[in-house]
Amino acid sequence: MNTKISYSKIEGYCNELHALASQIKETLENIEQIGKKVQSSGSWSGDASSFYVNKINNVSKNFTEIFEEIENSILYMASCAEGYQAIDKMVMGEICSNLNITEPNLNTSRIFNGG
């Protein structure tokens, strides 16, 4: 079992989750727009139309809440990683200072900015 996870991997996971959630949200918004067009155009009306448009609206409402939770979880994971990275940098600086050697350059976070 590999328990070693780098900060860059965590950043990658955060960015990947954000991109996937955004794609799902965009797809759902497109489906909502189609439902609104169908309902307003009169091309499909009646009980079946109302039933499916209501289903789309319920899924959309629920996904908005899920999307916000996903985004909050990503931000939490990112902030934890940034906190640990800051501690690592501080510890590394102290060790290097005590050993009188040059401190290595630790990456800073590039979550959500495409870096």
Side-chain angles (χ1 to χ4, degrees), residues 2-15:
N2 184 4
T3 57
K4 188 174 184 179
I5 298 176
S6 68
Y7 295 116
S8 62
K9 281 186 181 179
I10 292 172
E11 290 172 2
Y13 296 148
C14 289
N15 287 325

Side-chain angles (χ1 to χ4, degrees), residues 18-67:
H18 174 69
L20 290 171
S22 294
Q23 287 174 0
I24 293 169
K25 184 178 180 184
E26 183 180 331
T27 300
L28 193 55
E29 288 170 351
N30 290 340
I31 292 170
E32 281 180 310
Q33 290 302 316
I34 291 169
K36 288 177 184 175
K37 285 180 186 177
V38 166
Q39 202 171 30
S40 66
S41 71
S43 60
W44 186 32
S45 60
D47 292 341
S49 171
S50 297
F51 175 80
Y52 285 106
V53 169
N54 285 334
K55 285 280 189 192
I56 290 170
N57 291 338
N58 286 336
V59 168
S60 173
K61 178 183 160 199
N62 290 334
F63 184 76
T64 299
E65 293 172 12
I66 292 169
F67 177 79

Side-chain angles (χ1 to χ4, degrees), residues 86-97:
I87 292 169
D88 283 351
K89 183 175 174 72
M90 185 176 69
V91 168
M92 184 62 71
E94 189 70 26
I95 290 170
C96 291
S97 175

